[in-house]
Amino acid sequence: MSKRSYSRREFIRRNSLTGLGVTLTPSLLADGLTRIPQQPLDPIPAPAIFAAADTPAILGGKPIRTNEWPNWPMWHAETDEKRVLEVLRSGIWSRAGVTTEFEAKWAETVGAKRCLAVVNGTNALIAALVQLDIGGGDEVLIPPYTFIATVAAVLATGAMPVFVDVDPETFQIDPARIEGKITPRTRAIMPVHILGLPADMTRIMPIARKHNLLVVEDACQAWLAEIDHKKVGTFGNAGCFSFQNSKNIPMGEGGAIVSDDEAFMDRCYSYHNFGNPYGSVVGEVGAGTLMMGTKLRLAEYQAAIGLAQLPRLQEQTVLRNKNAEYLKAQIGQIPGIVPYKLYPGVTQAAFHLFPFRYQKEAFKGLPRADFLKALNAEGIPCASGYAPLNKMPYLAHAFQTKNFRRMYARDQLDINKYNARNECPQNDRLCNEEAVWFTQNMLLGSQADMNEIAGAIDKIYRNADKIKSLATK
Ligand SMILES: *Cc1c(COP(=O)(O)O)cnc(C)c1O
C-alpha cells in the first residue's frame, strides 16, 4: 500500500482482517495475573472507536480511551506473599538460601552456568567491568541511546566511555560504526539491549574477537530476550540485569551478573562480599580478606519477591511479544509512523518499551511534543524517551575529578576534543526529534487495547492540521 492511498477505510479493513495477535479476555488482569490463551482467538471486528473519533481529545473531543492501563508492579497474594512472609518470619533477612535459590533459577532461565545477585543493575555492571580488569586509562565502547547507568558504570571504574552512534531503525548500537571507534586503548564493548530489543550480537561478537575486546552486555532491560533462542546476556564475557521496580521482573531494587566463566564469577562473588574468599578465590575462612572488594549483597526478601515474579515474567514476555507484533503491524500502516525493527535471528524481545519513530512531515509538520500531548489526551500514555547522554555536563565533571586527572593525559581530558570525537547525529535525531515510547505494562492489555492505541494515532494523523493550528496559537 502506498502511503498516499492510506485511508481510514483501509485502516479499518486492515485492522479487522489482520489477525496477528491474540485476543485476551477482559478479566485477564483483574487478579494481577496474566495467562496466555492456548490458541489465537478470532480477530476482533473493526473497532467502534473510529465512529466517535472525529474530534481529537486535545481539541475537546472524547478521548479514545478512558480505561486504566495495567498497574505496575503486579503481585498476587496467593502466589507471592507466602515466600516473602516466610523470610520475614524467619528473621534471616541478609543474604542466605533464598538468594542462592534465585541465582540458580536465574542462571537456568537465561542459560548461563553461573549467576550472582547484587544490589542493582548499575553495580552489576560496575562489578563485571572491574572483575574483567577494566579501569583507568581504558576505553569502553557504548551506545549513547541508553539509561545513564550504563555510562555511570564505565566512569565508576575510571575507564572512559566512547560513544558509538545508533542504528535508528533498531534503536541499538550500530555494529557498522564500532570499528571506527576502536583505538589502542579500547578494552571492551558494552552493547546495551536497549528498550528490551536485542542488539546485533551476531555482528558484534566477531568484531570483539577480531580486536581482542571484552564484551559486557547491559541486559538491564532485556530479560529473556533472545537471538536464535539464546538469551541475551550470555553472548559476551558477562551479562548484567536489573530488577528495579519499573523493570519487567521487579524486586524494588536488585541486579544480577551472569557468565559461564567460573573463575570470573568467583571473583565477582568475592568482590560483592568484601573480597572474602569464595570458590577459586581461595583462602582459609578466617585467614583474612584476599581481594579488594565492596558489599553488594541482595537481601533475602528481595530474592523472595524475585522468585515470585519469575513465572509471571515468562508468561508476560510472550504476551508482550504478541501484542507488540500486532501493534507494530497496525501503526506501521500510518504514514509518518515507523516502528522499531528487530535484527534477523531475534526469536524473542523483552519489550521493556515499545518504540517507534514519529516523522512529523507526514503529520503536517506537527512537532513531536504536540503529537505526544495529543496522544496522551486520548488516554494513551507516551513519552519521548532518552535525551542525548553524550552531551551532558557529568562528563566534564568526571574528567575534572582527581582520579581522572591522574589517570589520563591532559589532552585526553580535553572536553571539546572528546565531544567532537563523540558526536552521534543519529542518536541526536532519535532523542530530539523522532523517538516515541509506550511502556511495557501497556503491552499486557488485550488486542482491543492495541487497537485503541492505533486508533488514537490514526485520529491524530487525520487531525494533524487542526491540532497544529491550535498548538501554534
Ligand atoms: C535500569 C538500567 C540499568 C541500571 O539498573 P538499576 O538496577 O536501576 O541500577 C542499567 N542499564 C540500563 C539500560 C537500565 O535500563
Side-chain angles (χ1 to χ4, degrees):
M1 181 185 60
S2 82
K3 297 249 163 165
R4 217 174 305 128
S5 71
Y6 175 82
S7 67
R8 175 185 297 185
R9 201 188 304 130
E10 181 70 4
F11 185 80
I12 293 171
R13 193 177 64 77
R14 287 181 166 240
N15 251 307
S16 57
L17 291 181
T18 46
L20 283 172
V22 291
T23 306
L24 301 171
T25 54
S27 64
L28 200 65
L29 296 163
D31 64 355
L33 272 185
T34 52
R35 277 166 222 96
I36 308 305
Q38 291 310 296
Q39 61 198 36
L41 305 176
D42 288 340
I44 64 165
I49 51 173
F50 292 100
D54 287 327
T55 306
I58 199 160
L59 302 179
K62 201 165 155 280
I64 284 207
R65 184 182 174 93
T66 45
N67 290 341
E68 295 287 311
W69 292 94
N71 280 330
W72 197 260
M74 292 182 181
W75 71 92
H76 189 254
E78 259 165 52
T79 53
D80 297 16
E81 291 181 1
K82 182 169 172 283
R83 206 66 199 274
V84 179
L85 283 174
E86 272 172 22
V87 168
L88 185 70
R89 288 169 185 160
S90 75
I92 303 168
W93 299 347
S94 192
R95 188 193 160 113
V98 184
T99 303
T100 307
E101 185 182 332
F102 178 81
E103 289 171 337
K105 285 238 167 83
W106 190 249
E108 191 197 331
T109 300
V110 302
K113 270 196 200 154
R114 294 268 297 269
C115 167
L116 176 73
V118 293
V119 287
N120 54 44
T122 309
N123 277 282
L125 292 167
I126 295 170
L129 290 169
V130 167
Q131 292 314 315
L132 291 168
D133 199 28
I134 288 164
D138 296 336
E139 289 177 353
V140 178
L141 303 180
I142 57 169
Y145 200 74
T146 184
F147 181 57
I148 184 66
T150 309
V151 202
V154 175
L155 289 171
T157 70
M160 193 176 276
V162 172
F163 294 96
V164 178
D165 208 353
V166 293
D167 174 353
E169 298 210 310
T170 61
F171 298 75
Q172 308 301 312
I173 188 169
D174 186 347
R177 296 173 198 272
I178 290 176
E179 287 191 295
K181 292 282 176 131
I182 295 174
T183 74
R185 295 198 290 136
T186 310
R187 286 285 317 285
I189 310 173
M190 200 152 95
V192 183
H193 306 288
I194 201 63
L195 316 179
L197 316 183
D200 194 359
M201 300 310 292
T202 314
R203 284 165 73 199
I204 293 170
M205 290 311 295
I207 297 170
R209 278 191 288 271
K210 179 177 160 196
H211 297 274
N212 200 21
L213 301 176
L214 297 161
V215 175
V216 175
E217 294 174 73
D218 182 340
C220 286
Q221 296 187 3
W223 325 259
L224 310 193
E226 314 172 334
I227 302 165
D228 292 327
H229 302 285
K230 182 175 164 63
K231 299 280 189 290
V232 306
T234 63
F235 287 84
N237 300 80
C240 297
F241 294 90
S242 167
F243 310 121
Q244 189 270 342
N245 225 57
S246 68
K247 308 288 174 125
N248 295 16
I249 168 167
M251 299 180 182
E253 300 289 350
I257 307 167
V258 301
S259 178
D260 286 349
D261 181 339
E262 302 268 9
F264 162 76
M265 289 305 290
D266 286 346
R267 290 198 303 279
C268 288
Y269 191 106
S270 178
Y271 177 77
H272 109 302
N273 189 33
F274 302 114
N276 287 327
Y278 186 84
S280 55
V281 184
V282 284
E284 297 285 314
V285 173
T289 297
L290 294 161
M291 311 187 340
M292 186 176 99
T294 182
K295 188 183 183 193
L296 304 174
R297 298 187 322 220
L298 195 73
E300 291 285 271
Y301 42 81
Q302 294 171 299
I305 294 173
L307 284 171
Q309 294 288 337
L310 197 47
R312 184 167 301 132
L313 172 70
Q314 286 164 330
E315 292 187 356
Q316 290 179 339
T317 301
V318 174
L319 178 56
R320 287 188 191 98
N321 276 267
K322 285 192 168 139
N323 275 329
E325 190 186 353
Y326 178 79
L327 181 60
K328 178 183 177 178
Q330 298 302 309
I331 69 173
Q333 300 167 46
I334 303 170
I337 300 296
V338 188
Y340 66 88
K341 271 193 190 155
L342 298 174
Y343 287 107
V346 170
T347 42
Q348 180 162 273
F351 292 106
H352 184 54
L353 293 144
F354 177 105
F356 63 90
R357 283 182 290 154
Y358 168 75
Q359 297 180 331
K360 69 176 179 195
E361 298 71 31
F363 281 68
K364 309 280 164 53
L366 181 73
R368 180 180 62 173
D370 295 316
F371 169 81
L372 292 171
K373 270 188 219 153
L375 194 51
N376 273 307
E378 298 295 343
I380 312 295
C382 53
S384 59
Y386 295 126
L389 282 183
N390 54 331
K391 301 190 162 170
M392 290 182 187
Y394 68 91
L395 289 161
H397 175 256
F399 292 2
Q400 285 155 17
T401 58
K402 195 199 288 181
N403 282 354
F404 268 72
R405 282 187 282 119
R406 291 193 176 166
M407 291 186 296
Y408 294 88
R410 185 184 289 259
D411 186 57
Q412 292 169 328
L413 297 181
D414 181 327
I415 195 72
N416 294 323
K417 281 189 191 161
Y418 178 86
N419 287 341
R421 199 178 144 215
N422 284 281
E423 284 287 344
C424 292
Q426 300 296 331
N427 183 62
D428 291 346
R429 200 168 77 223
L430 269 190
C431 293
N432 298 334
E433 293 171 47
E434 292 194 339
V436 178
W437 291 353
F438 300 130
T439 51
Q440 53 84 15
N441 61 314
M442 295 165 73
L443 296 177
L444 299 177
S446 63
Q447 193 180 79
D449 292 338
M450 301 305 109
N451 284 334
E452 287 187 344
I453 297 174
I457 296 175
D458 179 63
K459 185 177 172 185
I460 294 166
Y461 171 75
R462 281 167 207 298
N463 290 282
D465 253 341
K466 275 191 251 167
I467 297 171
K468 192 186 170 198
S469 59
L470 177 94
T472 50
K473 257 176 214 156

